[in-house]
Amino acid sequence: MIPPPANVDETRREAGLQSNQPARERWAHAWRTSTRYFVSDDWKWAWFLVACYCAIEVGTTYAFLLANQWQRNFFDAIEQRQGGLFLSLVFAFSMIILLQIGTSFAHNIVGWTLSIRWRKWMTEWYLGRWFARDRFYEIERLRMIDNPDQRIAEDVKEFTSMGTVYGTSPLSILIALIFSVIRAVAFGAILLETSSPISIPLFGYRIPLPGGDLIWFAIIYVLVGTTVITWIGRPFVRRRMREQHYDADFRSDLIHVRRNSEQIAFSGAQGTEQGGLRVAFENIRRNWYRLMLANAGLQVGQGFYQQVMGIIPLFLTVPKYFAGAISFGQVQAARDAFSQFSGTLSYIVTAYPSIARQIANFNRLKALDDAIDQERPRGIGFTPGGTPDGVAISATGLVLRRPNGEPLMEVSDWTIRDGERWVIEGPSGTGKTTLLRAIAGLWPDGAGQVAMTKRGSAMLVPQRLYLPLGTLKNAICFPDRAEDHDDATIAALLERVRLDAHADAMHELRMWQDELSPGEQQRVALARILLQRPSLLIVDEATSALDADNAAHFYQAVIAAMPDATIVSVVHNEKLAAYHTHRLRLHHGHATISMIAEDAA
């Protein structure tokens, strides 16, 4: 099971071990995140679609008002037995239905179009920042947050979703809130027709209130209901956020098992991995019951609220109807208007689940933004192009530390000149791979300065090669496009690295990461080196899965094809040191430098 980050601010806040960030900071981030798209290069489309969305809301409100007026006329006609009006009322009802269908259709088209354009822009914006300055690597290396991929894919999707009824995006929630106020005013005017004056006693006087009893009962009911529903729904936000975390963790664990299925099957570790997945799902199950209780309380509160809302206007208007003060049609219109008026005022109650989801999204996106924007002090300075002529890599006062500050090794001064071939040796765990990361600019923890030449090209080959999804030709040509190299060249390379058996399948779409053995993958790495022909080659145990003959062939082919290349290798096979000119030996946290020829003598 992939462990979640345990000692980061977001995890500590959710566990109650650290206080929340200041509200002003969180609101400022929410505002920036919500408005950034509307001042982007796509701002014309953004504002045009928002204008269309608002126009559709106007049409929807107008349809509600027409339906209310029709309801009053219809029931008055029934009460007065005016059969001649029936057909005209049916026709008017058909027109109102067509208007409602049209606004609903347009609402979907415009809302979905705005959603996908907004999501596309935000996704590209986050991906650009995630890849910039190798932040995706740094976030994973330090385990700063969990599942940044899920935040970019799922949280951004929900953040930009323009719902059809109660929108889930902050924009749709805001627009719905604005039009709720507009509808409250419109239906409040209808309620005034059937409302009785109301006054409150104060110090022996009766002070009349503006409006009428229906208006004030609706306002009081909404205020009390909103307060109660908000209090009931408070646990829903935290449980909803934990659900996102646990689902993402469980999905990551499943992917981890799928990617390592062969090793798990060979080692008979099915029970261990299944147990880890059970633990991950157990987190989902426990949180689900808590979320279920929070949601059930919220649903019961909302259901009770809606039911009582439909009864209150009848208690207030039926006595007036019995007294002959209002018609039966006015009773029905008042009931509908009261429900619409109360419903628009109680938008917070109705949209509380959507608001809760957005609060969770804001929190997760803020944690992602904080991780991307965090400027961690760089102990090891890295200067591309900072070496003098004839020098490929130079290190001055180089000291490597672990991310927690624990010392790892001290290299001090080290210079690699053009054309030299260095082998790095030492027991496992001494920091050989970390040293390669440092001279490549990927390890900032420590002290000193590293400079790398910009003359020519550089390539770093890890022990476990990255094979992109697609064809074998794509894997060999990476990071170039497959179209940039002809098939004859790739076929010749496959023969040269002893993979000619796969030449006929170079265009087949397969999971080559799974189909090729570790040794075959390292021969793909050799093919990639021979295709790219870098002037600086950094190799991290790239022959560890090869037999002695193929390992020797690896270095023979590289030196034959690139005799002037600068090579830095990490190897455990002493026989491979003969293909190098210099040695850097790591032992007990220190490094010693020597010539290979001198060691042999």
Side-chain angles (χ1 to χ4, degrees):
M1 185 177 70
I2 299 175
N7 196 33
V8 295
D9 290 344
E10 182 185 37
T11 304
R12 291 178 60 83
R13 280 194 293 270
E14 289 184 2
L17 302 176
Q18 184 170 317
S19 59
N20 287 329
Q21 294 173 314
R24 178 181 297 180
E25 182 179 337
R26 287 183 283 130
W27 277 109
H29 172 266
W31 172 257
R32 290 192 303 269
T33 305
S34 301
T35 58
R36 190 173 280 115
Y37 169 62
F38 297 93
V39 293
S40 68
D41 53 358
D42 200 39
W43 68 271
K44 292 181 180 179
W45 267 103
W47 286 104
F48 170 73
L49 291 171
V50 168
C52 292
Y53 197 89
C54 292
I56 294 168
E57 287 288 342
V58 171
T60 302
T61 302
Y62 182 63
F64 282 148
L65 293 174
L66 289 178
N68 181 271
Q69 182 63 39
W70 178 89
Q71 189 171 198
R72 175 178 176 177
N73 294 336
F74 180 77
F75 285 106
D76 279 344
I78 291 177
E79 181 186 27
Q80 298 169 15
R81 295 180 172 81
Q82 295 176 330
L85 298 178
F86 184 76
L87 291 179
S88 61
L89 287 170
V90 170
F91 178 78
F93 179 76
S94 302
M95 295 298 101
I96 294 172
I97 291 299
L98 288 176
L99 177 60
Q100 291 177 337
I101 293 174
T103 55
S104 177
F105 178 81
H107 196 285
N108 275 279
I109 296 298
V110 173
W112 282 44
T113 302
L114 178 57
S115 294
I116 194 61
R117 295 187 72 95
W118 191 359
R119 182 186 178 188
K120 175 179 180 293
W121 186 90
M122 280 197 69
T123 300
E124 291 178 350
W125 185 73
Y126 270 108
L127 288 178
R129 295 168 58 233
W130 191 44
F131 280 103
R133 300 178 291 117
D134 294 327
R135 293 307 299 166
F136 70 99
Y137 167 74
E138 188 74 357
I139 289 172
E140 287 302 308
R141 184 177 76 89
L142 300 176
R143 296 290 290 148
M144 298 171 68
I145 56 173
D146 70 284
N147 304 300
D149 53 319
Q150 188 261 357
R151 298 171 195 246
I152 295 175
E154 297 297 330
D155 292 342
V156 168
K157 175 184 177 181
E158 193 158 339
F159 182 82
T160 57
S161 175
M162 302 292 290
T164 56
V165 181
Y166 291 101
T168 60
S169 76
L171 176 64
S172 60
I173 291 174
L174 176 62
I175 292 176
L177 182 61
I178 292 173
F179 277 91
S180 292
V181 175
I182 294 174
R183 289 169 188 163
V185 173
F187 285 107
I190 297 175
L191 284 179
L192 286 176
E193 298 179 6
T194 53
S195 293
S196 301
I198 188 172
S199 59
I200 57 174
L202 185 64
F203 302 115
Y205 298 94
R206 300 197 65 84
I207 301 176
L209 297 177
D213 55 352
L214 290 174
I215 299 288
W216 283 102
F217 273 108
I219 292 175
I220 294 172
Y221 183 71
V222 167
L223 290 176
V224 173
T226 301
T227 302
V228 173
I229 294 297
T230 303
W231 179 77
I232 293 175
R234 284 178 63 187
F236 185 84
V237 178
R238 185 177 296 275
R239 291 295 110 208
R240 172 66 173 155
M241 190 169 182
R242 293 310 301 160
E243 179 192 32
Q244 292 173 317
H245 278 295
Y246 292 142
D247 282 345
D249 290 342
F250 184 61
R251 184 167 57 249
S252 296
D253 292 344
L254 291 171
I255 293 174
H256 178 71
V257 171
R258 181 166 61 89
R259 289 177 176 173
N260 298 278
S261 57
E262 185 178 39
Q263 298 179 42
I264 295 171
F266 278 147
S267 59
Q270 295 91 334
T272 302
E273 292 300 324
Q274 189 173 358
L277 290 172
R278 285 197 188 100
V279 171
F281 189 79
E282 181 63 20
N283 291 331
I284 296 177
R285 188 191 66 83
R286 284 198 304 265
N287 184 74
W288 181 265
Y289 282 116
R290 295 167 184 168
L291 180 64
M292 177 181 69
L293 292 176
N295 184 66
L298 189 60
Q299 292 295 324
V300 168
Q302 288 179 323
F304 180 80
Y305 182 87
Q306 294 291 339
Q307 291 295 325
V308 175
M309 185 189 297
I311 298 298
I312 290 178
L314 294 180
F315 290 159
L316 297 174
T317 56
V318 168
K320 299 175 185 178
Y321 170 74
F322 289 150
I326 59 175
S327 66
F328 185 65
Q330 286 179 305
V331 171
Q332 295 297 328
R335 181 184 182 184
D336 179 67
F338 185 92
S339 297
Q340 295 286 353
F341 180 74
S342 301
T344 53
L345 288 183
S346 57
Y347 174 74
I348 300 298
V349 174
T350 310
Y352 193 86
S354 297
I355 296 173
R357 287 195 296 270
Q358 283 309 317
I359 292 174
N361 287 337
F362 274 130
N363 290 336
R364 288 175 57 78
L365 288 177
K366 188 177 190 309
L368 175 62
D369 284 324
D370 291 343
I372 291 176
D373 295 335
Q374 180 178 341
E375 291 292 340
R376 194 165 179 262
R378 187 180 183 93
I380 300 176
F382 182 74
T383 308
T387 60
D389 291 340
V391 176
I393 298 174
S394 66
T396 305
L398 183 59
V399 177
L400 301 183
R401 296 183 181 275
R402 302 186 190 276
N404 61 5
E406 179 184 340
L408 183 59
M409 79 168 71
E410 181 178 346
V411 180
S412 190
D413 297 340
W414 181 27
T415 301
I416 302 174
R417 301 188 180 278
D418 291 343
E420 293 180 344
R421 299 192 294 272
W422 285 75
V423 60
I424 301 176
E425 298 176 339
S428 296
T430 53
K432 299 183 295 298
T433 298
T434 303
L435 178 58
L436 293 187
R437 292 171 180 168
I439 64 176
L442 297 177
W443 191 269
D445 301 313
Q449 295 290 325
V450 173
M452 177 183 287
T453 181
K454 274 194 171 181
R455 296 179 296 276
S457 59
M459 177 184 290
L460 190 151
V461 182
Q463 180 179 5
R464 185 173 181 179
L465 188 68
Y466 169 66
L467 297 181
L469 298 176
T471 66
L472 180 59
K473 184 179 179 182
N474 284 334
I476 294 174
C477 296
F478 181 84
D480 293 347
R481 297 183 309 165
E483 296 80 10
D484 295 339
H485 304 278
D486 59 73
D487 290 354
T489 300
I490 305 303
L493 282 175
L494 287 171
E495 183 177 2
R496 192 170 180 183
V497 302
R498 303 174 179 178
L499 286 176
D500 48 302
H502 296 292
D504 293 338
M506 71 168 72
H507 292 294
E508 295 183 13
L509 293 172
R510 298 184 189 174
M511 296 292 292
W512 291 102
Q513 187 85 42
D514 298 330
E515 291 201 23
L516 296 178
S517 69
E520 288 177 317
Q521 292 183 35
Q522 291 188 339
R523 278 181 271 171
V524 170
L526 175 58
R528 192 180 291 177
I529 293 170
L530 298 179
L531 180 66
Q532 301 291 336
R533 294 176 179 264
S535 57
L536 172 60
L537 177 62
I538 301 175
V539 181
D540 183 13
E541 297 189 57
T543 59
S544 60
L546 297 175
D547 58 82
D549 180 56
N550 276 304
H553 176 261
F554 184 102
Y555 279 97
Q556 291 168 0
V558 169
I559 294 173
M562 305 178 296
D564 298 326
T566 304
I567 302 176
V568 182
S569 302
V570 170
V571 297
H572 283 291
N573 187 348
E574 178 61 28
K575 293 181 179 180
L576 298 179
Y579 296 101
H580 301 79
T581 59
H582 295 72
R583 186 193 313 271
L584 182 74
R585 188 183 297 277
L586 306 179
H587 189 64
H588 294 304
H590 295 279
T592 57
I593 295 173
S594 62
M595 296 280 291
I596 298 293
E598 294 175 355
D599 292 346

